[in-house]
Amino acid sequence: MTVKVRFFARFRELLGTDILVEKKSGMVLATVVKDIAQKKKEGYDAIFDEKGNFREFVIVMRNGKRLEPAETTTVTVADGDEIAVFPPVAGG
Amino acid sequence: MLSERELDRYKRQILLFGEEGQEKLKKAKIFVAGAGGLGSPISIYLAVAGVGTLTVVDMDVVELTNLNRQILHYDRDIGKKKTASAAEKLREINPDITVKVIDTTIDKTNVARLVGSSSGIVDAMDNFPTRYLLNETAVHKKIPLFHGAIRGLYGQATTIIPDVTPCLQCIFPKAPPKEVFPVVGVTPGLIGMIQATEVIKYLIHDGRLLTGRLLIWDGLESHAEEICVERDPKCPVCGGSHSPDKKSETIPVKSPARKKK
């Protein structure tokens, strides 16, 4: 099955975006993102903490629907899913 | 009533939303939290649009490193209080409005008093702890909050209508880490303009507000994206007043009130 992962802003700069990945069905969402992010340490570190969890401020969406941090490790992806990973900014 | 001078000053926008719309702007009291990168363009454009009372709050002094983006402040203002610099410029830009400035740090002890009975709060802050304070006050007083934030060439904006849309805490339960953020002036210029546009639309009851939607601007790609944001029923700030029958689409904005001449 194919899943599309979209990184935004700084995450896009580090990891690219609109990445299509072929995965076995039933894979956990966090693992899908982690597999891509691991290709570049800086990108991985920007998104995940030392324990391998999404950093608490990172916004993760699946098909336009926001996921709670805990859900990202339990929700599995399905064919055609679009995952968006976004870092809020704080400057003004 | 609009004076002859005001009718003339705002002639071109009265073509857009009528004298009635202009009166609404004149009656409005907008609270701009911050006179920096976002606060500068926001307050300038709200001033020229004729928002009747603008209150600008900041506690900083103008520094040389501010001047690549904080367009209210000039080279000659270095060392001057940002509020004094802002008041001077805004009153010159439009002497037909009332400009109030408050030189203080917004904190939990003064935020409710500072905001007072404003018609809207504009988030032009550079940190999330103060944004959360503004959000709590907005929710408590049921005053709209116009959020914007930037970093580098990236920005985000959304309009928060208490009891209707998600609040800032629903959208960003955890603040991004504190940092000395990189920035080029065009980014707060652009995001600030989205916020100021939202304020004007809200005041004149026109168009569709950026409610229930987070606009994400990627200046490197020249690409804007929006993501739907929803209320968090467990939100510690607004969750208690959650009304499941109210959807974010049902914003208190009437049908367009454009006046054609």
Side-chain angles (χ1 to χ4, degrees):
Chain A
M1 63 164 195
T2 307
V3 176
K4 188 198 258 187
V5 179
R6 307 185 69 198
F7 293 110
F8 289 91
R10 197 158 50 90
F11 296 167
R12 182 187 57 71
E13 276 186 73
L14 293 167
L15 295 164
T17 194
D18 291 356
I19 300 163
L20 291 171
V21 285
E22 288 291 330
K23 293 288 173 191
K24 286 181 192 154
S25 67
M27 197 167 194
V28 169
L29 184 142
T31 310
V32 174
V33 178
K34 217 175 274 185
D35 282 354
I36 301 169
Q38 265 159 351
K39 288 170 187 157
K40 191 166 184 182
K41 187 177 184 308
E42 205 184 344
Y44 181 90
D45 290 345
I47 298 173
F48 295 99
D49 64 19
E50 309 74 45
K51 291 178 181 165
N53 298 318
F54 278 104
R55 291 193 180 276
E56 53 185 11
F57 63 89
V58 173
I59 292 179
V60 182
M61 316 222 353
R62 176 178 174 244
N63 300 329
K65 178 99 177 154
R66 173 90 165 268
L67 295 176
E68 295 285 330
E71 288 178 300
T72 60
T73 55
T74 55
V75 166
T76 56
V77 291
D79 189 39
D81 272 1
E82 186 175 298
I83 301 164
V85 187
F86 163 68
V89 291
Chain B
M1 272 291 282
L2 296 167
S3 65
E4 281 302 312
R5 186 182 148 85
E6 286 170 317
L7 287 171
D8 228 19
R9 176 184 281 275
Y10 307 119
K11 193 172 180 178
R12 298 290 287 274
Q13 63 193 51
I14 288 172
L15 290 174
L16 193 62
F17 42 70
E19 288 179 31
E20 186 195 344
Q22 193 63 50
E23 290 274 8
K24 286 175 182 160
L25 293 184
K26 186 177 178 175
K27 282 181 193 145
K29 293 186 280 184
I30 295 294
F31 182 86
V32 182
L38 288 168
S40 288
I42 291 167
S43 55
I44 288 171
Y45 273 91
L46 292 182
V48 295
V51 168
T53 306
L54 269 185
T55 301
V56 180
V57 182
D58 205 298
M59 51 74 71
D60 274 334
V61 167
V62 178
E63 294 175 17
L64 184 58
T65 57
N66 301 150
L67 301 185
N68 77 324
R69 63 197 185 280
Q70 302 187 11
I71 58 171
L72 260 178
H73 315 301
Y74 304 161
D75 199 80
R76 66 168 195 248
D77 299 316
I78 292 168
K80 202 189 270 185
K81 279 285 185 183
K82 285 188 186 174
T83 42
S85 163
E88 180 192 329
K89 312 307 181 347
L90 295 170
R91 284 170 188 152
E92 276 184 42
I93 283 171
N94 190 349
D96 291 331
I97 62 164
T98 302
V99 176
K100 296 179 180 171
V101 292
I102 306 171
D103 174 25
T104 192
T105 304
I106 297 171
D107 62 32
K108 63 182 176 189
T109 67
N110 64 13
V111 61
R113 181 171 47 82
L114 293 173
V115 167
S117 58
S118 301
S119 330
I121 303 169
V122 185
D123 164 10
M125 296 312 305
D126 60 359
N127 69 87
F128 260 82
T130 315
R131 285 191 169 97
Y132 287 139
L133 286 179
L134 292 171
N135 178 60
E136 282 173 32
T137 307
V139 169
H140 180 68
K141 292 186 175 236
K142 303 196 188 308
I143 297 173
L145 175 67
F146 302 90
H147 164 73
I150 53 103
R151 183 188 192 277
L153 284 154
Y154 305 122
Q156 70 204 19
T158 190
T159 296
I160 293 159
I161 309 288
D163 286 348
V164 178
T165 71
C167 76
L168 201 69
Q169 189 80 46
C170 298
I171 303 169
F172 306 110
K174 301 287 180 187
K178 200 170 158 49
E179 61 171 345
V180 176
F181 57 92
V183 56
V184 57
V186 290
T187 310
L190 199 137
I191 295 297
M193 281 312 91
I194 292 167
Q195 293 174 271
T197 305
E198 289 291 291
V199 172
I200 292 170
K201 280 159 57 189
Y202 171 78
L203 293 175
I204 64 168
H205 307 300
D206 200 357
R208 178 175 167 242
L209 293 174
L210 195 53
T211 45
R213 301 179 284 150
L214 177 70
L215 183 136
I216 302 169
W217 168 248
D218 181 336
L220 276 178
E221 292 283 301
S222 289
H223 181 77
E225 185 99 19
E226 61 176 59
I227 58 177
C228 287
V229 284
E230 293 179 352
R231 294 191 70 180
D232 175 5
K234 299 189 296 289
C235 174
V237 176
C238 78
S241 58
H242 182 61
S243 317
D245 55 321
K246 284 186 183 171
K247 294 221 170 76
S248 59
E249 284 77 15
T250 58
I251 50 172
V253 168
K254 295 172 196 160
S255 57
R258 289 186 187 87
K259 186 174 177 182
K260 290 192 174 69
K261 277 195 175 176

